[in-house]
Amino acid sequence: MEPILELAGLSKVYPGGLKALDDVDLTIRKGEIFALLGPNGAGKTTLIGAVCGLVRPSAGTITAFGYDMARDWRRARSRIGLVPQELSTDMFEPVERAVSYSRGLFGLAPDKARIEEILRSLSLWEKRDERIMSLSGGMKRRVLIAKALAHEPDLLFLDEPTAGVDVELRKGMWAVIDSMRERGVTIILTTHYLEEAEMMADRVGIINRGKLLMVDEKDAMMARLGRTEAHITLAQPLDTLPPAIARFPVELEADGASLCYRGGDGTGKGKAEVAELTKALIGSGIDFTGIETRESSLEDIFVSLLGKEGGVA
Ligand SMILES: Nc1ncnc2c1ncn2[C@@H]1O[C@H](COP(=O)(O)OP(=O)(O)O)[C@@H](O)[C@H]1O
Ligand SMILES: [Mg+2]
């Protein structure tokens, strides 16, 4: 797959000595949705800022569309759109004019039809003559997306596009992002909503304290790191684990009142094994009154990774 963006050895030390990016290597493929996950302060906005020319890297190289950003910044930047994390925009401007202006900033000729198409796709067309300040939070965020799309970028950064947005609007935003992908735009989004990465991303990168800890296909990551957890409530408490179930990854909990299974690999193996376990229980005459099974989410994976690495900063 053709790389659209390559970071090599990218580091950023802010004045004062804080290392916000620590030797990051990352290749983004054309057409993918890449979710960069990390807690607050992990370095996500710094990474985006470095690619968009807002943050000067301390070391490393950034190659976008084959251009070295240090030398050919303008050429590459004109093909990149940025939806910033902060809602800071020209609040007094009417929607349509603000979006047209963004297009002009990159030297593109005015194109009313194109702007109309963008505004319609974001359900902003009816609001085109309203001042941005009069819009709701979710609408303001869409204006930021419209502005970022106005110069028809091939690579779009969305920095926490749904932070502070309610569930309904978040889903609307996902639909918008999906339609951009369908148009062939490569998308890098940052989020700390794991559900968002789970729903949207083809690949996921996990960043903490400036270090990219892991990058993988979302499904592969979940299969590799996912787990099944089952709690089986026993009809009669047990003192010890019966030999018949010793081969399963189980332990007694709640003073022997229930059994806890933790195993599998996120591919359904766990569920099958829990079914085997219940058969073994029945086979050895151990009665149970309930089973609760849960597949671990990206969130569990995330939390356990950050835990191993020394906790959330
Ligand atoms: N302009 C700056 N000067 C000094 N430190 C900064 C600056 N911007 C961000 N930082 C620090 O760099 C770290 C990474 O910040 P940031 O990239 O905004 O993280 P994220 O977007 O993942 O929340 C944080 O510790 C933050 O306080
Ligand atoms: Mg940020």
Side-chain angles (χ1 to χ4, degrees), residues 12-16 18-21 38-48 55 85 159-160 190 192 207 210:
K12 173 63 186 179
V13 182
Y14 280 114
L18 187 115
K19 199 162 203 180
L21 291 176
N40 275 331
K44 303 181 296 294
T45 298
T46 301
L47 187 149
I48 290 177
V55 168
Q85 183 172 2
D159 198 358
E160 313 246 359
T190 71
H192 51 252
I207 187 171

Side-chain angles (χ1 to χ4, degrees), residues 99-122:
V99 174
S100 292
Y101 179 75
S102 291
R103 180 180 173 89
L105 276 183
F106 289 94
L108 268 73
D111 185 339
K112 272 191 98 67
R114 180 75 187 115
I115 299 296
E116 178 174 341
E117 188 193 329
I118 291 168
L119 292 179
R120 283 192 187 280
S121 76
L122 291 159

Side-chain angles (χ1 to χ4, degrees), residues 1 46 76 144 149 151 170 312:
M1 185 63 88
T46 301
L144 290 184
L149 291 176
H151 66 286
R170 204 178 300 163
V312 177

